[in-house]
Amino acid sequence: MSKENNRLTTSSGAPVGDNQHSITAGSRGPTLIQDVHLLEKLAHFNRERIPERVVHAKGAGAHGYFEVTNDVTKYTKADFLNEVGKKTPMFIRFSTVAGELGSADTVRDPRGFAVKFYTQEGNYDLVGNNTPIFFIRDAIKFPDFIHTQKRHPKTHLKDPNMVWDFWSLSPESLHQVTYLHGDRGLPATLRHMNGYGSHTFKWVNDKGEAFWVKYHFISEQGVKGIDESVADKLAGENPDYHTEDLYNAIEEGNYPAWRLYVQIMPYEDAKTYKWDPFDVTKVWSKEDYPRIEVGRMVLNRNPENYFAEVEQAAFSPGHFVPGIEASPDKMLQGRLFAYSDAHRYRVGANHEQLPINRPINGTNNYQRDGFMRADGNGGGSVNYEPNSVDGPKEDEEAKINPFEVTGQADSVDYDSDDHYTQAGDLYRLMSEEEKDRLIQAVVNHMKPVEKDEIKLRQIKHFYKADPEYGRRVAEGLGLEVPEEQEV
C-alpha cells in the first residue's frame, strides 16, 4: 500500500470512482455485472482465508534477535553460532496444539514454541513445545492422536472418551500426560514458560565430529502457572489473553527474553545410555549431561500484519543449516516431511518466497513455476542440473555427516517399554501442593469418561508410575483400587 499516493485503486491499479455504491440499472434496478470493482471486492473477500493449521492453529508471534553468549564451536560449525556476541534476526510463533484458530489460548494444552533463525546459511527452524517430551514417539501414531484431541465426528464436540481411550492404550504418553496436567500445563502467559526442542538433534563441528544435542530455552521472566479456575474464566471473557499479553508487553518495551542452553551427549554415548536418547517421551538427566549456555533470545518487535507474518509463517523441522542435522528420532523423522507438506497445502508450493519465510541469504536452485510464483522465476537461466553453462552447483562441505545404521528394514518399536520410571520421577519431584493440583486436574479431566474400563486402564498406568499417584486418582474418581495393583 502506497502512502505517497492515497488514491484508492483496484487490484490492477486502476483508480476507484465510487467505493460506497454499486452500479445499478436505475436507482431500483438490478446490479450490473459490469461493476468489476464490486465483483473484485466480493470475490477477494470470499478467498481471504487460507486453511488453518490442523494443529497449532491458534498462535501469536513476534520478531527479535538471538545473541551468542558462549563459545560452542567445538560442538557445531553452524555459522550463526560461531562467535560470541554474534546476533541473528529471528521470528517466533507460540501456539496451542488442539484448538482451532478462534479458540481460547488459556486452555490446558501444550504450547508450540517455533523459532525461525534467519542465518547467513539459510533459515534454521527449531520447531518445539513448552514441554521437553511428547505424548507419542512414532509419527505413524500422530494423525490418530490428534483426532482424539479434536472433535468427535458425530457430535462435533471435544470428547474425553476419545482422549483417555487413546492415552490409556498408549502408555508411552504417561510422562507427557503427567507434565500436561501439572502446573506447567497452564502457563500464566507466553512469556512465563520455557521452550524445548523436545527431540534430539545432531551437531557437527568443523572437524566432522558429531554430538547429540537437546535444546532448552529458559525464560528470564521465570516460569509461572495460572490457577485452572482463572484460566477457565479468562477463556470465556478474553480468549485472546495470551496473545494480548505478549503484544502489549512488547509494545510497552518490556521485551521478553530466554536463555538458550543445550545438553550435549558424546556421539558414542547414545549406544549405551540408560534411556534411548532418540525417544521423545524421555528426558536426559541433567546430572548426566549438564546444561551448557549458548545464547540469549530477545523479542523486541511485534508483527505489522498478523496474517502476513504470523498466519503465513511456515516452520519446518527439516529446515537445517550446516552443522545441525536430524537424529533417528522416529517422531522427528516424520515431522521432517509433514510440516513442509502442510505448508505446501495451506499456503502453496512457493510459500518460502513470502517475506516472513524468505531466507536473508537468498536462494539459488532449479525449482521453477507453481502457483503464485512471486519472483522472476529464474528468468532465462538454466533450469536443470548437471549442466555445462555454469549453473549453481552443490557444495560438498554441506553434505550431511555420515552415520551408521544396523538391523533389518522392519516396523520396529523402541527398545525400552519402561513408560513409568520418568513419569513417576516427575510426580515425586512435585511438592504436595503441586501434587494436589495435578490429581485434581486429572480427576476433573477423567470424570466425564463414560466407561470405567478406560478409567481403570489409565489408573493402572498411574499406579505403575507411583502407587500414591494411582491411588489418589482412583479415590478422586470414586473407583476401587485394582487388586493386582495393591502392594
Side-chain angles (χ1 to χ4, degrees):
M1 182 178 291
S2 172
K3 294 184 179 179
E4 297 176 1
N5 182 352
N6 205 32
R7 184 171 63 172
L8 183 66
T9 72
T10 66
S11 295
S12 58
V16 173
D18 191 335
N19 193 43
Q20 306 301 316
H21 308 96
S22 305
I23 300 174
T24 59
S27 62
R28 295 186 176 181
T31 302
L32 301 185
I33 198 170
Q34 78 173 54
D35 191 347
V36 292
H37 176 53
L38 167 68
L39 301 184
E40 179 186 277
K41 284 185 70 175
L42 294 179
H44 190 277
F45 179 74
N46 287 341
R47 294 163 175 81
E48 283 186 355
R49 297 294 173 266
I50 60 175
E52 70 173 42
R53 292 167 170 85
V54 177
V55 288
H56 297 278
K58 177 65 177 277
H63 297 270
Y65 65 88
F66 178 80
E67 181 177 5
V68 178
T69 57
N70 188 34
D71 184 4
V72 291
T73 54
K74 66 179 179 180
Y75 301 117
T76 178
K77 62 181 178 181
D79 177 78
F80 78 106
L81 299 176
N82 68 2
E83 182 181 351
V84 173
K86 191 169 194 175
K87 290 185 177 181
T88 298
M90 47 70 58
F91 182 79
I92 190 168
R93 185 176 185 273
F94 303 102
S95 55
T96 54
V97 174
E100 297 89 358
L101 188 58
S103 61
D105 57 16
T106 57
V107 297
R108 187 179 296 279
D109 201 14
R111 266 59 181 183
F113 197 101
V115 186
K116 185 181 293 291
F117 300 92
Y118 300 97
T119 88
Q120 294 298 327
E121 292 189 315
N123 291 347
Y124 173 49
D125 291 354
L126 185 57
V127 193
N129 283 326
N130 71 327
T131 63
I133 47 181
F134 198 60
F135 298 96
I136 54 175
R137 54 187 182 174
D138 193 314
I140 202 169
K141 298 184 73 169
F142 190 72
D144 302 287
F145 164 61
I146 293 301
H147 286 169
T148 72
Q149 305 298 301
K150 293 290 187 176
R151 297 181 180 274
H152 191 282
K154 182 177 181 179
T155 66
H156 197 59
L157 300 173
K158 295 293 184 73
D159 192 336
N161 296 288
M162 298 195 304
V163 171
W164 290 101
D165 190 31
F166 181 88
W167 283 344
S168 67
L169 292 168
S170 304
E172 70 271 25
S173 67
L174 184 61
H175 196 183
Q176 175 79 322
V177 167
T178 303
Y179 198 101
L180 175 64
H181 289 83
D183 290 350
R184 297 196 181 196
L186 286 173
T189 77
L190 299 173
R191 299 177 292 125
H192 293 91
M193 66 182 192
N194 295 336
Y196 303 90
S198 300
H199 301 291
T200 297
F201 295 90
K202 183 165 67 171
W203 274 8
V204 181
N205 65 20
D206 57 5
K207 298 177 182 178
E209 298 168 331
F211 306 86
W212 303 115
V213 59
K214 280 188 176 291
Y215 296 92
H216 303 249
F217 286 87
I218 306 303
S219 172
E220 291 188 2
Q221 296 71 236
V223 174
K224 296 180 182 178
I226 189 171
D227 184 83
E228 189 153 22
S229 62
V230 176
D232 291 343
K233 187 172 185 288
L234 285 170
E237 295 179 354
N238 184 2
D240 304 312
Y241 175 79
H242 280 173
T243 303
E244 182 179 36
D245 173 84
L246 178 67
Y247 182 89
N248 288 342
I250 295 173
E251 284 296 291
E252 294 165 2
N254 183 19
Y255 302 141
W258 286 258
R259 291 276 174 177
L260 174 60
Y261 298 84
V262 292
Q263 288 178 283
I264 298 288
M265 175 184 288
Y267 188 82
E268 293 298 320
D269 282 18
K271 299 175 182 178
T272 57
Y273 190 52
K274 58 187 175 183
W275 302 107
D276 188 326
F278 312 119
D279 179 349
V280 74
T281 67
K282 306 292 192 299
V283 296
W284 302 352
S285 167
K286 289 190 283 292
E287 294 180 359
D288 297 334
Y289 302 103
R291 287 174 175 168
I292 300 171
E293 184 172 331
V294 178
R296 185 170 184 256
M297 178 178 73
V298 179
L299 307 183
N300 60 7
R301 180 165 63 91
N302 279 314
E304 286 297 317
N305 184 277
Y306 181 90
F307 179 84
E309 297 166 67
V310 182
E311 187 64 14
Q312 291 193 132
F315 300 86
S316 171
H319 286 168
F320 295 114
V321 292
I324 305 176
E325 299 177 7
S327 78
D329 179 332
K330 298 177 191 292
M331 191 68 196
L332 172 61
Q333 289 287 320
R335 295 179 75 212
L336 298 179
F337 162 76
Y339 275 63
S340 286
D341 190 57
H343 303 312
R344 295 181 191 107
Y345 163 70
R346 282 192 342 107
V347 190
N350 290 308
H351 63 273
E352 302 282 16
Q353 294 180 27
L354 296 170
I356 192 64
N357 301 320
R358 190 183 303 149
I360 60 176
N361 62 323
T363 58
N364 201 18
N365 57 46
Y366 299 96
Q367 296 172 12
R368 297 290 188 270
D369 309 340
F371 286 112
M372 304 300 291
R373 185 80 193 206
D375 59 5
N377 197 34
S381 63
V382 62
N383 63 353
Y384 62 89
E385 202 272 336
N387 59 71
S388 57
V389 293
D390 200 28
K393 296 180 176 62
E394 66 265 24
D395 179 0
E396 288 195 6
E397 293 296 318
K399 290 179 67 174
I400 68 165
N401 181 261
F403 57 93
E404 62 182 2
V405 295
T406 59
Q408 298 177 323
D410 195 1
S411 298
V412 182
D413 196 3
Y414 284 86
D415 292 336
S416 173
D417 60 357
D418 180 356
H419 309 302
Y420 306 104
T421 298
Q422 290 202 5
D425 289 343
L426 177 59
Y427 177 79
R428 289 181 288 273
L429 279 172
M430 296 180 181
S431 68
E432 289 305 312
E433 292 78 12
E434 289 172 328
K435 288 179 181 178
D436 290 343
R437 291 191 290 270
L438 166 69
I439 298 301
Q440 192 60 56
V442 170
V443 169
N444 289 345
H445 196 185
M446 290 185 70
K447 273 184 178 179
V449 176
E450 296 167 0
K451 293 183 178 180
D452 284 352
E453 171 193 349
I454 295 175
K455 294 177 181 176
L456 290 170
R457 191 163 59 219
Q458 183 65 42
I459 288 169
K460 289 180 181 180
H461 296 314
F462 293 138
Y463 263 98
K464 290 180 181 179
D466 188 283
E468 177 189 276
Y469 190 3
R471 176 182 57 76
R472 293 186 65 183
V473 172
E475 290 174 352
L477 292 171
L479 296 173
E480 293 290 332
V481 176
E483 291 183 5
E484 65 270 26
Q485 297 300 328
E486 292 183 330
V487 179

